[in-house]
Amino acid sequence: MNIALVAHDKKKDDLIVLIKTYTHILKKHQLFATGTTGKRIAEATGLPVHCFRSGPLGGDQEIGAAVARGEMDMIIFFRDPLTAQPHEPDVSALMRLCDVYSIPLSTNMGGSEILIRSIEQGDFESLKLSHNDEPPA
């Protein structure tokens, strides 16, 4: 699976804890991330991570484009709900694309743990059949 990992500044440490906890599962998949987040994950875990630009510089949009092309299977996006983000429209657009293309999206630790454990169980087989389809009209 192709998994995108994104975290606002105040949530990066939490995302790294999650990735360290589930390295044994995530190492079997292709990881993508926005700039600083990806660099920090790679340094902390040793996992290979393809880094896009940082979120405010277009990284969220790059991940959104990958979703629209059918190239992402899951997004884990630890958002900071208490701090205004200058690129909030990009964040909203990425979340909207996840809904349009039925891409699993989690924005917190609990939901992310469920998604990652579901990968291990093979619970996403239907996505392989459906997420590359055109969105409904």
Side-chain angles (χ1 to χ4, degrees):
M1 293 185 82
N2 290 340
I3 303 168
L5 306 167
V6 185
H8 287 148
D9 288 344
K10 292 182 180 178
K11 298 292 184 174
K12 289 185 191 323
D13 289 340
D14 292 341
L15 182 60
I16 289 169
V17 167
L18 176 81
I19 304 306
K20 282 182 171 181
T21 302
Y22 292 101
T23 296
H24 65 286
I25 297 171
L26 295 171
K27 70 182 179 183
K28 301 172 188 171
H29 302 278
Q30 291 73 47
L31 304 179
F32 299 81
T34 49
T36 307
T37 301
K39 197 176 297 183
R40 289 203 43 207
I41 290 168
E43 288 171 359
T45 66
L47 292 171
V49 180
H50 171 85
C51 294
F52 293 108
R53 290 176 179 86
S54 75
L57 299 178
D60 299 330
Q61 291 181 342
E62 288 180 297
I63 292 172
V67 168
R69 290 190 304 265
E71 297 170 358
M72 283 297 156
D73 300 301
M74 178 183 295
I75 312 284
I76 295 175
F77 191 159
F78 279 20
R79 298 173 57 229
D80 178 1
L82 302 178
T83 304
Q85 302 296 327
H87 61 293
E88 190 61 36
D90 299 338
V91 173
S92 295
L94 175 57
M95 294 175 71
R96 179 184 150 304
L97 285 169
C98 288
D99 288 341
V100 168
Y101 290 96
S102 295
I103 300 301
L105 165 71
S106 179
T107 61
N108 60 61
M109 186 71 75
S112 298
E113 286 191 280
I114 291 168
L115 287 182
I116 292 170
R117 288 177 183 210
S118 294
I119 294 171
E120 188 174 39
Q121 297 175 156
D123 291 342
F124 292 106
E125 291 304 312
S126 65
L127 281 179
K128 293 176 184 173
L129 301 174
S130 67
H131 85 276
N132 286 325
D133 296 339
E134 289 295 317

